[in-house]
Amino acid sequence: MVHGGLMGIIQRAMVKACPHVWFERSEMKDRHLVTKRLKEHIADKKKLPILIFPEGTCINNTSVMMFKKGSFEIGGTIHPVAIKYNPQFGDAFWNSSKYNMVSYLLRMMTSWAIVCDVWYMPPMTREDGEDAVQFANRVKSAIATQGGLTELPWDGGLKRAKVKDTFKEEQQKNYSKMIAGNGSLN
């Protein structure tokens, strides 16, 4: 995503070092253009693979949230990578609603160490009859299993957005059923 301010300066400097595909999430026309550019990129076998973070956000290293389906609609082979940080010497999670970028960078640079486990997993391709959402969920499940993380069915955007009343009501009904002695969510 395109950023302004200090992040924008860093982004513009990074573009000079290696190619990036920047986009504006709120622009639907931009999404179509990004999809087109990504398809062109993967069709050119001379180009390096694309690094994509399909959650679209950073979370607290305990779970894997819903993947955005766009990364899985463009075709090509996915090379999943599971990353799990060990917060023993320094916590790499950035709670952007609690810390600004400068505070976060200062915390990172003064940490004793940033330690993480990285698993490069076998390549995955979309199966016959599998849509982009099913493919994304299969990849997400494999990553969660490998990293020992919990799979969450919701979008990472929820950490900044108000939870819909219908979602709360559904969870309350499920909880009520469990408490009432039914013991089952189905």
Side-chain angles (χ1 to χ4, degrees):
M1 187 171 121
V2 177
H3 289 279
L6 177 61
M7 278 301 291
I9 293 168
I10 293 169
Q11 282 180 330
R12 288 187 292 280
M14 287 174 20
V15 166
K16 293 176 183 171
C18 63
H20 289 73
V21 178
W22 300 113
F23 64 96
E24 188 58 54
R25 285 189 177 129
S26 61
E27 282 293 324
M28 187 53 79
K29 289 183 292 188
D30 209 25
R31 289 178 187 217
H32 296 300
L33 178 63
V34 168
T35 300
K36 180 179 178 262
R37 289 177 64 200
L38 291 175
K39 285 181 178 181
E40 289 169 357
H41 185 98
I42 64 169
D44 186 346
K45 300 301 176 198
K46 295 177 193 159
K47 292 190 176 181
L48 293 171
I50 302 170
L51 176 62
I52 297 175
F53 296 90
E55 286 175 306
T57 189
C58 297
I59 59 168
N60 66 2
N61 200 41
T62 61
S63 48
V64 181
M65 295 185 132
M66 182 177 80
F67 282 5
K68 307 287 186 196
K69 68 178 182 172
S71 308
F72 300 88
E73 290 177 323
I74 60 173
T77 301
I78 301 291
H79 298 268
V81 177
I83 302 171
K84 186 172 184 179
Y85 291 94
N86 180 338
Q88 183 176 359
F89 300 111
D91 190 0
F93 172 61
W94 176 28
N95 183 344
S96 57
S97 60
K98 189 175 179 182
Y99 302 105
N100 65 33
M101 174 62 86
V102 175
S103 300
Y104 172 72
L105 289 174
L106 190 58
R107 265 186 43 231
M108 293 288 80
M109 291 188 281
T110 58
S111 295
W112 179 254
I114 301 297
V115 179
C116 67
D117 292 309
V118 179
W119 294 274
Y120 296 94
M121 301 163 59
M124 299 174 79
T125 54
R126 202 159 146 179
E127 296 175 349
D128 291 334
E130 188 175 48
D131 66 22
V133 172
Q134 291 166 327
F135 183 31
N137 285 334
R138 186 164 55 88
V139 173
K140 179 181 90 163
S141 182
I143 290 171
T145 300
Q146 181 65 60
L149 302 164
T150 303
E151 278 188 76
L152 298 175
W154 55 79
D155 187 331
L158 278 177
K159 71 181 185 180
R160 289 188 182 78
K162 184 180 183 302
V163 178
K164 292 181 185 177
D165 289 334
T166 54
F167 186 73
K168 284 188 210 175
E169 290 167 8
E170 181 184 338
Q171 295 307 311
Q172 289 168 341
K173 286 177 188 174
N174 289 338
Y175 187 68
S176 295
K177 288 178 187 174
M178 285 175 37
I179 297 298
N182 180 328
S184 171
L185 292 177
N186 295 330

